[in-house]
Amino acid sequence: MRETWDKVLRRNAKTLREDVRRRASGERVRRHIRTGFSAVDEAYGGLRIGVPTEIVAHTGDGKSAFMKQLAEGGAKDGAGVLMVFGEDPEDATAERQFSGATGIDTMDIGRLDLSDAQLKQIDLAVEESAPWAKRILPVFDHLDVDDVINLVDETTSVGGAPLELVLLDYVQILADPKEL
């Protein structure tokens, strides 16, 4: 049964009061997920949990890189993250992660033009990312809208953290425009 606005406001005021009390007692209470982008985190507190946020830009403008940063920032903040990749394969996505973490050019990684020292850098980056990367569940399958909804419904936690951030790269793969 739906509530009237006065009841919604009363319930939310009570929750707000409880959250402020819990935070004052030292408990961590989150309403936002930190993104890792200081300007966004400082101005807005990060991304509001439960509020859909769409990032729109032209091809090549860095949407996938932005999504990767959001996932990393959210996972470092303790959120479980579900990342659905619609066009990029697992190996290319991992190579971009290695490049970002080490500074090694993705073209060199793709061409396998790597020294032993660079391979050690990549191994170190993998080890250093483990504490937060375990809270990210990447999905490289081709999914339709129903598959994504079911996946979100079925995924309650990732790496022991509650699922709080769902990222879809390339939403166009989900359906024909008229069905979106």
Side-chain angles (χ1 to χ4, degrees), residues 17-44:
R17 182 173 298 283
E18 290 170 2
D19 286 350
V20 168
R21 180 194 53 76
R22 289 174 37 220
R23 184 172 182 218
S25 71
E27 185 178 338
R28 183 170 187 206
V29 180
R30 272 200 336 219
R31 291 181 167 225
H32 294 80
I33 297 171
R34 301 197 60 79
T35 65
F37 291 103
S38 59
V40 173
D41 293 340
E42 290 169 15
Y44 305 105

Side-chain angles (χ1 to χ4, degrees), residues 16-83:
L16 183 61
R17 182 173 298 283
E18 290 170 2
D19 286 350
V20 168
R21 180 194 53 76
R22 289 174 37 220
R23 184 172 182 218
S25 71
E27 185 178 338
R28 183 170 187 206
V29 180
R30 272 200 336 219
R31 291 181 167 225
H32 294 80
I33 297 171
R34 301 197 60 79
T35 65
F37 291 103
S38 59
V40 173
D41 293 340
E42 290 169 15
Y44 305 105
L47 295 177
R48 180 69 187 233
I49 295 172
V51 176
T53 304
E54 185 173 3
I55 308 299
V56 180
H58 295 286
T59 300
D61 282 350
K63 295 179 301 297
S64 295
F66 189 76
M67 183 176 109
K68 182 194 89 50
Q69 179 62 41
L70 290 176
E72 185 174 326
K76 285 179 177 177
D77 195 35
V81 179
L82 176 64
M83 292 178 70

Side-chain angles (χ1 to χ4, degrees), residues 142-155:
H142 293 285
L143 305 176
D144 62 24
V145 173
D146 292 333
D147 294 333
V148 171
I149 291 170
N150 289 334
L151 182 61
V152 171
D153 286 345
E154 294 167 1
T155 307

Side-chain angles (χ1 to χ4, degrees), residues 116-166:
D116 285 341
Q118 289 172 313
L119 290 170
K120 286 179 184 175
Q121 277 184 280
I122 289 171
D123 289 340
L124 180 62
V126 169
E127 291 305 314
E128 290 176 346
S129 68
W132 56 265
K134 68 181 179 185
R135 290 188 289 274
I136 299 175
L137 178 62
V139 177
F140 295 95
D141 305 330
H142 293 285
L143 305 176
D144 62 24
V145 173
D146 292 333
D147 294 333
V148 171
I149 291 170
N150 289 334
L151 182 61
V152 171
D153 286 345
E154 294 167 1
T155 307
T156 58
S157 65
V158 180
L163 179 64
E164 295 179 314
L165 182 60
V166 177

